Amino acid sequence: AYSLMPGSPDLASFPRAQWLKAARRALTAAPHEAFGYGDPRGRVELRTAVAEYLARARGVRATPERVVVCSGFAHGLALLAKVLGRRRVREVAVESYGLHYHRDLLAEAGLGTPALGFDAHGSRTGELAELGGAGAVLLTPAHQFPIGVALRPERRAAAVDWARGTGGLILEDDYDGEFRYDRQPVGALQGLDPERVVYLGTASKSLAPGLRLAWMVLPGALADEVAAAKGKADSTSGSPDQLTLAEFITSGAYDRHVRAMRLRYRRRRDQLVAALAERAPDVRVTGIAAGLHAVLELPPGTERSVVQAAAWQGLALEGVGSFRHPAVERDRDALVVGYARPPDSAWAGSLDALCRVLP
């Protein structure tokens, strides 16, 4: 009946009318060649709009020539894994907690995925030097998924120092970096060294995953290789949607939508925190006030029983154990609550069902 699974925005809030207006303007102005096979990097209109937006909103240093459009973060990661394999990289270090299918994509490309240590301040990037086989590292520095912390400045600097000293690459997943509620969003790690960091962003959290639109900002030495790996036969993002998103961004509609959703999700998070304080005072919300999910720390040994009790109540929940790297020992019991997902009509019921199953 209800779902608080993480990883999705409120799909009912997709700006259909504004998107339709942008589509009409974009298609009216589109040149005939826009409907051909085109550049595997993606439409230049979208790459230009993305580069300008990221520079303004996320502190990313980008030019259209270094942007490659892809059909989601996983698609971009698969392309990077292919290129890294050709460069004879053996391992890509990953965070102790993350999405298993990202590790699977790397493994399918023949890459090992050793886990970095993790604590309250994020991944212990100072340990990268101890991973002798790692030629790259996958990080979510602005808002770690799923634990929800921001990577400390000194650990950001340590990651960049490692990349410079070893010739390694940092793969920066900035999946919901625009949504920070207690302060201005922290800038992208890529701004510290554009030649050593690959920035990956997506419209899946800000708009909708069904658009299948994402982008990579690549170091100069890597942009041509990734575009070649993508190839004309792999142009998975259709040009009409790319043109529409470009118009949506340049018209200011994207900024307005992100601002509106930031307020909406902040209210949701505040309501979640208030409900827990009243009805489940022993459950603590951890992580920064950001993104589309919150982490609820549970008493030791209760995670599995709470998730099961939620299922009996008709509520879909996910425990943090689902995201733990196989090589990492169990060190916490917690829920990863996606408060952005429910439409308004289901939010109160979802929150009530959650409070009923908490210890």
Side-chain angles (χ1 to χ4, degrees):
Y2 301 110
S3 177
L4 290 172
M5 298 289 281
S8 175
D10 178 4
L11 301 180
S13 296
F14 182 79
R16 302 184 191 210
Q18 292 80 8
W19 186 261
L20 184 57
K21 290 178 183 177
R24 286 172 173 161
R25 290 194 299 266
L27 295 180
T28 299
H32 297 314
E33 54 87 17
F35 302 100
Y37 288 105
D39 190 332
R41 287 175 171 82
R43 289 298 306 174
V44 66
E45 296 91 342
L46 179 56
R47 291 187 285 117
T48 301
V50 163
E52 292 174 352
Y53 172 78
L54 292 177
R56 171 171 49 83
R58 303 295 299 124
V60 172
R61 290 190 270 170
T63 61
E65 294 74 26
R66 294 193 179 196
V67 176
V68 172
V69 177
C70 47
S71 63
F73 176 86
H75 181 214
L77 184 62
L79 291 172
L80 289 167
K82 184 187 297 186
V83 170
L84 290 172
R86 290 174 181 172
R87 290 186 165 205
R88 304 198 183 283
V89 170
R90 301 195 308 274
E91 294 180 338
V92 176
V94 297
E95 295 174 310
S96 293
Y97 289 85
L99 292 168
H100 69 84
Y101 58 83
H102 292 168
R103 296 192 297 267
D104 292 346
L105 281 172
L106 296 170
E108 287 168 6
L111 300 167
T113 55
L116 276 178
F118 195 91
D119 59 28
H121 304 304
S123 292
R124 296 198 289 266
T125 53
E127 297 177 1
L128 281 166
E130 302 170 16
L131 302 176
V137 58
L138 175 61
L139 296 172
T140 51
H143 182 226
Q144 203 279 335
F145 183 87
I147 304 301
V149 299
L151 192 62
R152 293 285 289 267
E154 62 270 21
R155 296 192 179 184
R156 288 172 159 241
V160 172
D161 288 344
W162 166 81
R164 289 170 175 167
T166 63
L169 280 174
I170 301 169
L171 312 182
E172 179 180 14
D173 180 2
D174 197 35
Y175 75 105
D176 66 359
E178 296 152 313
F179 296 109
R180 184 75 187 256
Y181 312 128
D182 57 347
R183 49 167 282 183
Q184 285 293 106
V186 64
L189 181 63
Q190 190 264 6
L192 297 179
D193 194 334
E195 297 306 320
R196 300 259 55 97
V197 182
V198 177
Y199 176 93
L200 297 105
T202 173
S204 294
K205 304 300 183 288
S206 56
L207 284 167
L211 290 177
R212 309 315 304 144
L213 286 170
W215 41 85
M216 295 179 279
V217 181
L218 298 148
L222 203 61
D224 289 342
E225 285 185 67
V226 172
K230 187 168 184 266
K232 290 186 177 181
D234 192 22
S235 298
T236 51
S237 300
S239 57
D241 281 344
Q242 291 186 56
L243 292 168
T244 300
L245 180 56
E247 171 63 25
F248 199 73
I249 293 172
T250 56
S251 69
Y254 186 82
D255 287 81
R256 291 190 293 273
H257 177 72
V258 167
R259 285 196 299 270
M261 298 312 294
R262 192 181 291 136
L263 291 172
R264 184 186 194 87
Y265 295 149
R266 178 175 184 169
R267 285 195 296 270
R268 287 276 183 93
R269 189 181 190 279
D270 289 346
Q271 290 164 354
L272 170 64
V273 171
L276 294 176
E278 179 182 349
R279 300 178 58 182
D282 293 333
V283 175
R284 187 167 61 97
V285 179
T286 62
I288 61 174
L292 311 184
H293 75 279
V295 178
L296 277 55
E297 294 288 345
L298 299 173
T302 61
E303 178 184 311
R304 185 173 298 176
S305 62
V306 169
V307 171
Q308 187 175 47
W312 291 338
Q313 294 282 336
L315 172 65
L317 275 180
E318 192 132 36
V320 76
S322 301
F323 305 100
R324 188 181 299 112
H325 191 287
V328 174
E329 293 184 5
R330 185 187 191 96
D331 61 350
R332 69 188 73 204
D333 283 77
L335 299 175
V336 185
V337 174
Y339 52 76
R341 178 187 291 261
D344 284 344
S345 59
W347 171 237
S350 301
L351 195 53
D352 184 60
L354 172 66
C355 291
R356 284 201 304 271
V357 300
L358 292 175

